Amino acid sequence: MSPQAATPAYRRLSVEERRSQLLDAALSLFAHRAPEEVSLDDVAEAAGVSRPLVYRYFPGGKQQLYEAALRSAAEELRHCFDEPREGPLLPRLHRALDRYLTFVDGHDAGFTALLQGGSVVETSRTTAIVDGVRRAAADHIMRHLGVTDPGPRLRMTVRMWITAVEAASLIWLDEDKQPPADDLRDWLVDQFVAVLTVTASRDAQTAAVVAALGTTSGD
């Protein structure tokens, strides 16, 4: 008889490791199901732990766990637009949107929950988390544009475009991810240039940005 394979030794996780494990399990569930459809029992099962252990780390229950998972997802989204400010602007924006749409593609219902919230879990704190992502994206874009003190028209134009990107991403999910992601990316970049051009006719600061964009964008 062949000897039995050795059973892997159990390793006790640190507090941070266990918390990360629970957040990863929660994110994997929120990525494909609306938050109101995910229970603490579901998270415990996905993480291979007991429900009381989940409560030990998140005594506020599902709301606390959801907000923590939301912050984790928001941190990922914040990094999408954190592109090195080297080379022409439009290729940088293409790369940032590639990362953004990859996140959307991989999180499905979780992305919808992130932007829209669920009737059970949406609070002023979750709204603030989402707004923080939008503000971070706007700050990154302003730095890519080389603008340190944007006026109201340019600031509004960039934030309107970010809102359009979010809306397009949600519709893209509803439309079974059509058109293909690279087509959607190119379309959104074209829209960014278009809205800047429209604002430039009314705002000297934006006009200077568009003029610089025309000399540095490349192919």
Side-chain angles (χ1 to χ4, degrees):
M1 179 183 297
S2 60
Q4 290 183 332
T7 301
Y10 173 79
R11 183 173 74 87
R12 183 183 295 276
L13 299 180
S14 69
V15 170
E16 284 305 312
E17 287 174 327
R18 180 66 73 187
R19 190 173 188 278
S20 294
Q21 179 200 29
L22 295 174
L23 283 177
D24 287 344
L27 280 172
S28 69
L29 293 170
F30 290 136
H32 302 291
R33 293 161 60 183
E36 56 265 32
E37 296 175 357
V38 177
S39 69
L40 288 182
D41 286 332
D42 294 330
V43 175
E45 181 180 357
V49 301
S50 66
R51 179 187 173 98
L53 183 63
V54 178
Y55 263 113
R56 184 188 306 173
Y57 283 84
F58 298 96
K62 177 176 172 176
Q63 181 66 35
Q64 183 183 7
L65 177 60
Y66 175 72
E67 289 179 11
L70 199 60
R71 289 190 188 93
S72 178
E75 192 61 28
E76 284 190 57
L77 274 175
R78 281 192 186 95
H79 290 309
C80 288
F81 287 92
D82 191 10
E83 176 73 19
R85 293 187 293 280
E86 301 171 354
L89 171 63
L90 295 187
R92 282 184 258 159
L93 196 54
H94 276 83
R95 290 191 292 271
L97 283 174
D98 276 337
R99 287 194 295 272
Y100 186 90
L101 292 173
T102 295
F103 180 93
V104 173
D105 186 33
H107 287 76
D108 290 338
F111 177 78
T112 302
L114 176 67
L115 293 185
Q116 296 182 329
S119 58
V120 176
V121 295
E122 185 175 12
T123 67
S124 60
R125 291 190 300 275
T126 60
T127 300
I129 292 169
V130 175
D131 192 54
V133 174
R134 294 169 180 149
R135 290 182 181 277
D139 288 344
H140 281 307
I141 290 172
M142 289 300 181
R143 287 196 288 271
H144 285 303
L145 293 175
V147 177
T148 57
D149 187 22
R153 289 185 185 272
L154 178 56
R155 190 164 54 245
M156 187 180 295
T157 298
V158 169
R159 296 199 68 182
M160 285 170 58
W161 179 73
I162 291 169
T163 301
V165 170
E166 292 177 359
S169 300
L170 292 170
I171 296 169
W172 185 62
L173 293 177
D174 285 341
E175 295 290 338
D176 296 324
K177 301 177 183 177
Q178 291 298 320
D182 55 347
D183 287 352
L184 178 59
R185 174 205 64 205
D186 292 346
W187 185 26
L188 290 171
V189 171
D190 289 345
Q191 287 186 345
F192 183 63
V193 175
V195 294
L196 283 176
T197 301
V198 170
T199 303
S201 67
R202 297 172 176 267
D203 179 62
Q205 184 183 47
T206 307
V209 167
V210 171
L213 182 63
T215 60
T216 63
S217 60
D219 292 333

